[in-house]
Amino acid sequence: MQNKLKIINDPVHGFIKIPHEILFDVIEHPYFQRLRRISQTGLLNLIFPGATHTRFHHAIGAMHLMFTALETLKQKGIAISVEEEKGAMLAILMHDIGHGPFSHALESMLMDDWHHENLSLLLMNRLNDEFNGQLSVAIEMFQGKYHRKFFNQLISSQLDVDRLDYLNRDSFFTGVSEGNINTQRIISMMNVCKEELVIDAKGVYSIENFLTARMFMYWQVYYHKTSALAEFILVKILERAKSLVSQGIDLPATENLKYFLSRGKSAATDEDVERFTQLDDNDVIQAMKLWQKSDDFVLSYWCQCVIQRNLPKTIISSHAFDGKFIEEKIKNTNEFFGIDNGKELVHEITRSLLPYNTEKQPIYLLQKNGEILKLDESEDQLLSGLIVHKTKRYILTFPRLM
């Protein structure tokens, strides 16, 4: 008999226990092991060299935080059965199992707007069949269909263990300390009132710190102008490759990537899913290395940008760029490269962020008298009233003409 109750050493949280055998079985499954080959932050390592951590790292960390959160709630007298504990830990463990190569950037490109959550659900159902229904509770919780709402809120809300893990993890690996939050303090403040997840009122500043840390991480890391550019280029590369393949041009690529490049729009078939679970970052990196020598100028230009990290220029602004200014950049690009499709290399990218949404699953504070209050309505809050507005940035990218 194999010992499945192992301990994993994690650089962010220290030692992580696997308290149930089914968790170990899911981690060992090829669907889950694929996450070792999918980066958590896309091409962020072009900007922050340490950001080479994977979805596998993150899923294990989120599972650990779920365990910690459930232990905290139990100590506060919330009844949680062993089956519910297993379900919640399995749900968070598998929440990203449907992520494609380079995470969000390529979702719609490869699978026609198949959101990773749809794919995660599809793969969860397949695993559930393999494990004879042991994941049924997890799937209910993941979908928000379980009768106790707080389980789904721990998996997916404005204050879930998914965010608690990735903020600390991404902050750790990028070296951007603004994202560093005190997860233990936040988890220790969690509570349940009428089956909803709430925060003990005295934890208000920890929550505000969490929301502002997340906002800083978005603008400083995820939406950093070069990060936004790198993600944009990836999408452009695959769009271009798909377009060339549809014109009958043969592009070298791994068999599974070739399959998706030539796939038309349709509902996902069994073969799609089978091949998708074989795809990872390596397929895309290998393709970009080969396509640097493509006869198509646009494709080879973008691939060289990424592989040689010779990225185009970017300007960031809080206003949209003037049409004449953009036209001038296109004209200069055409002249410099002696091409007529320079508009393919000049783009305006937008990024917007609403740090805290007061309508959609707001965070509730549990007062000493047992009443609950929305975070932004609390007299104690200092910042929440300031982060309820959407911010938008415009990034113009164009080739370096030297």
Side-chain angles (χ1 to χ4, degrees):
M1 277 290 286
Q2 185 185 10
N3 168 30
K4 296 180 178 180
L5 305 177
K6 297 199 180 287
I7 290 177
I8 297 170
N9 192 352
D10 176 67
V12 177
H13 303 304
F15 290 107
I16 292 177
K17 286 195 201 110
I18 300 177
H20 304 289
E21 293 197 352
I22 181 67
L23 293 166
F24 179 82
D25 292 335
V26 168
I27 291 169
E28 289 286 275
H29 194 280
Y31 284 179
F32 193 82
Q33 289 292 321
R34 179 183 75 100
L35 298 180
R36 289 180 184 274
R37 300 185 300 279
I38 296 209
S39 78
Q40 170 70 12
T41 48
L43 286 173
L44 262 187
N45 65 323
L46 292 177
I47 300 101
F48 304 96
T52 53
H53 54 305
T54 64
R55 290 265 155 202
F56 182 90
H57 265 144
H58 162 60
I60 301 275
M63 175 196 79
H64 166 71
L65 292 182
M66 177 64 84
F67 180 72
T68 315
L70 297 178
E71 288 298 299
T72 301
L73 295 176
K74 283 187 210 166
Q75 284 164 5
K76 293 187 181 182
I78 312 299
I80 294 170
S81 70
V82 174
E83 283 311 306
E84 286 175 327
E85 177 178 292
K86 273 190 209 171
M89 290 181 76
L90 282 164
I92 197 69
L93 185 66
M94 297 186 293
H95 77 285
D96 276 349
I97 207 164
H99 261 296
F102 290 109
S103 304
H104 298 281
L106 308 183
E107 259 170 34
S108 53
M109 273 312 308
L110 294 175
M111 292 291 274
D112 301 329
D113 298 322
W114 263 61
H115 199 264
H116 69 267
E117 283 169 9
N118 299 346
L119 276 163
S120 291
L121 191 58
L122 195 106
L123 297 180
M124 280 184 201
N125 283 315
R126 293 199 161 201
L127 287 171
N128 199 23
D129 293 341
E130 267 185 61
F131 291 119
N132 305 318
Q134 289 187 74
L135 313 183
S136 299
V137 174
I139 291 168
E140 266 187 59
M141 288 176 174
F142 179 77
Q143 289 184 282
K145 292 180 177 173
Y146 193 71
H147 63 281
R148 303 181 75 187
K149 195 174 169 188
F150 71 89
F151 284 111
N152 177 259
Q153 290 167 322
L154 282 168
I155 297 159
S156 177
S157 67
Q158 291 201 80
L159 182 60
D160 54 34
V161 295
D162 173 23
R163 291 181 182 194
L164 291 180
D165 181 81
Y166 78 64
L167 281 180
N168 258 0
R169 191 167 299 280
D170 296 348
S171 157
F172 178 91
F173 283 100
T174 55
V176 175
S177 58
E178 284 79 356
N180 195 1
I181 49 169
N182 188 342
T183 43
Q184 295 310 316
R185 164 79 178 163
I186 293 171
I187 287 174
S188 74
M189 291 293 130
M190 287 181 171
N191 213 325
V192 170
C193 179
K194 297 178 183 158
E195 300 299 345
E196 294 250 2
L197 186 67
V198 293
I199 296 293
D200 291 333
K202 61 185 175 185
V204 61
Y205 301 129
S206 303
I207 301 308
E208 293 205 312
N209 183 38
F210 155 77
L211 291 170
T212 48
R214 183 169 175 270
M215 176 179 71
F216 286 132
M217 282 296 280
Y218 265 86
W219 289 121
Q220 216 169 326
V221 177
Y222 314 127
Y223 289 175
H224 178 292
K225 65 186 180 118
T226 318
S227 310
L229 171 67
E231 183 171 309
F232 179 79
I233 291 177
L234 262 183
V235 174
K236 283 285 156 208
I237 287 171
L238 279 157
E239 265 179 14
R240 189 73 182 178
K242 249 189 146 167
S243 156
L244 294 171
V245 167
S246 71
Q247 294 165 39
I249 293 166
D250 185 42
L251 290 177
T254 60
E255 197 186 324
N256 289 315
L257 184 56
K258 262 191 171 163
Y259 174 84
F260 283 106
L261 289 175
S262 56
R263 178 183 175 279
K265 281 200 181 298
S266 64
T269 62
D270 282 350
E271 186 181 3
D272 287 346
V273 175
E274 195 44 50
R275 286 181 177 272
F276 183 81
T277 58
Q278 303 289 321
L279 265 190
D280 57 49
D281 291 5
N282 298 323
D283 296 81
V284 179
I285 292 170
Q286 187 192 353
M288 290 191 291
K289 282 165 69 179
L290 295 168
W291 298 343
Q292 290 181 94
K293 296 190 168 65
S294 166
D295 292 339
D296 180 74
F297 180 80
V298 174
L299 183 65
S300 81
Y301 171 80
W302 286 132
C303 290
Q304 285 173 36
C305 285
V306 174
I307 298 297
Q308 298 168 22
R309 201 205 175 279
N310 183 12
L311 296 165
K313 285 191 77 124
T314 46
I315 317 174
I316 190 164
S317 165
S318 50
H319 305 287
F321 287 90
D322 178 60
K324 281 188 183 149
F325 183 67
I326 295 175
E327 282 302 319
E328 189 189 324
K329 295 292 177 200
I330 294 172
K331 182 169 162 280
N332 294 347
T333 300
N334 281 333
E335 286 171 5
F336 183 82
F337 290 114
I339 54 175
D340 57 9
N341 57 350
K343 68 177 189 306
E344 299 284 352
L345 306 180
V346 179
H347 293 277
E348 185 176 69
I349 309 164
T350 57
R351 287 286 182 270
S352 60
L353 179 71
L354 176 60
Y356 177 63
N357 188 332
T358 53
E359 301 304 315
K360 194 178 168 215
Q361 287 200 323
I363 296 169
Y364 286 101
L365 300 174
L366 179 63
Q367 309 296 315
K368 279 229 168 83
N369 61 8
E371 287 179 10
I372 61 170
L373 188 66
K374 276 184 169 181
L375 171 66
D376 52 299
E377 291 168 2
S378 161
E379 286 184 0
D380 293 326
Q381 63 89 13
L382 298 172
L383 297 165
S384 306
L386 302 172
I387 56 173
V388 295
H389 307 294
K390 196 176 243 184
T391 328
K392 191 168 188 178
R393 295 280 183 274
Y394 299 83
I395 301 163
L396 187 71
T397 174
F398 50 92
R400 289 175 191 277
L401 309 178
M402 347 256 272

